């Protein structure tokens, strides 16, 4: 529990520095600034893989699957890459939500910051119950595997023209019945007072919808990482580092999402791979480097094909 406590404290320190020091004043985050923070988060995430190796080598963390240090490190990196790649879909949806509610760029970081807090809590709960189910009922592995393949097939045949409309969503309609909603974004507050009534601003509405969408995306991403490992610490830490880097990645990629249109096929390939891995785990045991290589190669091919396609259009 000491390691878990220290890890959570470290995350809280990161978040406190982020909102209280580096982004204390609402401002428009440039692509250059976002690129710098994306590089920092990715670097920290990979540095943490060394910490994972050290923790498992010294026996400072519970090791229910009896993983060797280098195996734990590779599983962490593989899980991190899966979560990072599946976050691409989140970025598309976040961009749509901000556009629908006309959220000023200078307030977007604040919404994403509080969205991260909620995501950490919800992901933690989902990981806890997911790991518990796999350990208690081994057949759930097949259930998760089948669900991931179903998701991949659904992504492959989904009509791109069927765009998500935040204002038509069930969440927006329910929220409107609970609290009156205003179009005013005065000083970036989540709630404002008008007379004797409190009104939710578009910032709060966007935050709630982003939180709900993250839970829906986690239904895919949590089973995907459970295909790599059911070790609670590895699943949670790789998830959290991917989530922490999501904000800066959003601002870095928000203006060039169209350039990475082929990444969708990389995600389909990854989901199919991990789904099959779960379904066939009793018959085929792939070495850890094979899973990591496939996921890394899928992302690289998706990026290169996207960039080549974009240059060809020009």
């Amino acid at each position: 529990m000491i390691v878990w406590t220290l890890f959570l404290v470290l995350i809280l320190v990161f978040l406190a520095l982020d909102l209280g020091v580096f982004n204390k004043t609402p401002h428009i985050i440039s692509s250059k600034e976002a690129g710098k923070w994306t590089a920092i988060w990715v670097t920290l995430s990979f540095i943490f893989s060394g910490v994972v190796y050290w923790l498992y080598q010294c026996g400072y963390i519970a090791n229910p699957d009896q993983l060797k240090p280098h195996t734990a490190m590779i599983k962490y990196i593989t899980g991190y890459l899966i979560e990072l790649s599946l976050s691409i879909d989140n970025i598309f949806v976040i961009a749509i939500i901000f556009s629908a509610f006309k959220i000023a760029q200078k307030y977007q970081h604040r919404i994403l910051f509080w969205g991260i807090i909620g995501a950490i809590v919800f992901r933690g709960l989902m990981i806890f119950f997911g790991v518990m189910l796999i350990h208690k009922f081994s057949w759930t592995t097949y259930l998760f595997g089948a669900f991931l393949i179903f998701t991949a097939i659904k992504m492959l045949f989904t009509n791109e023209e069927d765009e998500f409309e935040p204002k038509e969503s069930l969440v927006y309609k329910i929220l409107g019945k609970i609290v009156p909603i205003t179009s005013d974004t005065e000083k970036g507050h989540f709630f404002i007072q008008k007379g004797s009534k409190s009104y939710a601003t578009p910032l709060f509405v966007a935050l709630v919808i982003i939180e709900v969408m993250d839970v829906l995306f986690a239904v895919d991403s949590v089973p995907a990482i459970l295909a790599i490992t059911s070790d609670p610490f590895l699943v949670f830490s790789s998830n959290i580092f991917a989530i922490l880097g999501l904000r800066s990645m959003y601002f870095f990629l928000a203006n060039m999402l169209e350039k990475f249109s082929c990444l969708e096929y990389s995600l389909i390939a990854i989901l199919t791979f991990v789904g099959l891995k779960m379904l066939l785990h009793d018959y085929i045991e792939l070495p850890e480097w094979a899973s990591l290589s496939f996921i890394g190669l899928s992302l690289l091919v998706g990026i290169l094909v996207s960039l080549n396609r974009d240059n060809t259009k020009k």
Side-chain angles (χ1 to χ4, degrees), residues 35 115 124 159 194:
N159 189 344
K194 287 185 177 181

Side-chain angles (χ1 to χ4, degrees), residues 117-132:
I117 300 292
I120 290 173
V121 175
F122 289 125
R123 292 289 179 99
L125 291 171
M126 294 182 76
I127 288 167
F128 172 78
F129 288 111
V131 170
M132 184 180 70

